[in-house]
Amino acid sequence: MSFSLRQRRPLRFSLRVFFWRYHRLILLLLGLSFLETIFHIRSFRVQRPHTVLDAPFHTGCREPDTSLPRANATLLMLARNEDVDGAVDSMRSVEERFNKWFHYPVVFLNDKEWSAEFKERLGEVVSGEVRFKVIPREMWGYPEWVDQGRAGKSMKKMQENGVMYAGKESYHHMCRFNSGMFYDHPALKEYKWYWRVEPDVSDPFIEMEKNGKRYGYTVALWEMGTTVPTLFRKVSDYKKSMQIPTTSLWTAMMDPSYLPWPIRSLLSWSRNRDEHGDLWNMCHFWSNFEIADMDFFRSDAYRHFFEYLDADGGFYYERWGDAPVHSLAAALLLEPRELHHFADFGYRHDPFQYCPFTSANGWVPDITTIMTEEEWKREHDNAMGCNCYCDTTVAVIHPVCLNKIKATTF
């Protein structure tokens, strides 16, 4: 019996023949893939509006008009008894630059009973009605569906990995409370507007109401990805399931994947990406300062959104904060015209500060990346933020996120 053995061709030769035979098809597919990637990236460009949707409420230095009616509003501070010195400094700043003219009430919230010292010292600073209230136990603690053992292990691991504040149980309670419960606190139910932190002269509540605004901010910056590794995927999945249309504000908070389809979908397993593999750029509003319509947070849409997130347990298994939750909710549920950047309000919260375009001590930031030279000159001539003092020793917020978000309105 005889055998004939067929000599196998080298793999390199086979591949060469394959490419030679199908090179036109391969080049066509590569070309289509390249074009698809280009169009995909271009789809993430934010289209600037034809008209300015968020101009400053006022420019120039002027005395506030105290004859106007007051809005249904309050100032709000969440603090602890040991924060008394910082609370006095913050409220003194608010009073000197705003509330000494308008005398809005101030609500102080604590998860424990207030000390006599805190009440006495803050009562001496605030010119309006002062209310010291305790957060009910059902608003400050673990919900029944959270596995506390798992949460404790997660907090310990995050702390070991250097995730800021992640090891503090009370910080997780605070983030959950500020994300989805504060607006239902009995002390706040009678109010429509709230202001969480710092100011300047005209009444911002009235201006927000008059201009159809629902959420106001001063600072936009990057979130730390390690604190919220699964948050964005949860939110983007929610957006899809609820068939919420994409706004320019949502697009401004996204960066496209540069990989072609369908390879880019493989990136969906990475943190802070949606099912298509595109990335949340981590931009969000710093909620240490926010002036907002609490009816937005009390709406069925926001309540449903918060309940969806709360059921996941990420406020404890990770370190989801109220700032990214509020920011992504605004991107989902509000139109860009309903947001307001308080460009004329100086705000400092260590280790950063936001300075208005001009300030009393003559310090002027590099604002050319935020507005054109002509616009800058106009605002400079009108002395926007002229009653603010900017500390030249404190770092100024990098304008990248602010630029992206303001492009939706300016």
Side-chain angles (χ1 to χ4, degrees), residues 58-75:
H58 295 283
T59 58
C61 296
R62 63 190 185 90
E63 287 297 312
D65 184 356
T66 58
S67 65
L68 297 174
R70 302 293 182 263
N72 179 18
T74 184
L75 280 72

Side-chain angles (χ1 to χ4, degrees), residues 143 145-147 150 230-231 234 305-318 320:
W145 54 85
V146 168
D147 182 335
R150 177 187 168 190
T230 66
L231 175 62
K234 299 291 182 184
F305 170 75
F306 171 72
E307 289 166 3
Y308 164 82
L309 293 181
D310 197 27
D312 184 77
F315 289 106
Y316 296 98
Y317 303 142
E318 298 179 10
W320 295 356

Side-chain angles (χ1 to χ4, degrees), residues 88 111 122 150 153 167 177 184 188 194 197 219 231 258 260 266 272 292 327 331 348 357 390 392 402:
V88 168
D111 65 308
L122 271 298
R150 177 187 168 190
K153 292 178 181 177
F177 174 76
D184 284 332
L188 298 175
Y194 85 105
V197 185
V219 174
L231 175 62
Y258 281 68
L266 298 177
N272 301 316
S327 302
R348 171 179 170 177
F357 301 147
C390 293
T392 56
L402 189 59

Side-chain angles (χ1 to χ4, degrees), residues 3 24-25 56 65-66 87 118-119 138-139 206 209 279 284 286 360-361 365 398 401 408:
F3 295 91
R24 289 187 178 87
L25 178 60
D65 184 356
T66 58
F118 194 102
K119 291 180 178 180
E138 61 270 19
M139 289 185 167
I206 293 295
E209 203 162 41
L279 180 70
H284 73 300
W286 223 8
N361 60 333
H398 199 280
C401 287
T408 66

Side-chain angles (χ1 to χ4, degrees), residues 276-328:
H276 306 294
D278 296 309
L279 180 70
W280 173 30
N281 56 28
M282 309 308 294
C283 289
H284 73 300
F285 309 117
W286 223 8
S287 61
N288 305 92
F289 177 108
E290 59 184 12
I291 297 178
D293 179 355
M294 284 190 282
D295 286 349
F296 164 58
F297 295 117
R298 293 168 180 148
S299 67
D300 290 342
Y302 184 86
R303 288 185 188 278
H304 189 268
F305 170 75
F306 171 72
E307 289 166 3
Y308 164 82
L309 293 181
D310 197 27
D312 184 77
F315 289 106
Y316 296 98
Y317 303 142
E318 298 179 10
R319 208 219 71 184
W320 295 356
D322 51 283
V325 170
H326 287 187
S327 302
L328 292 172

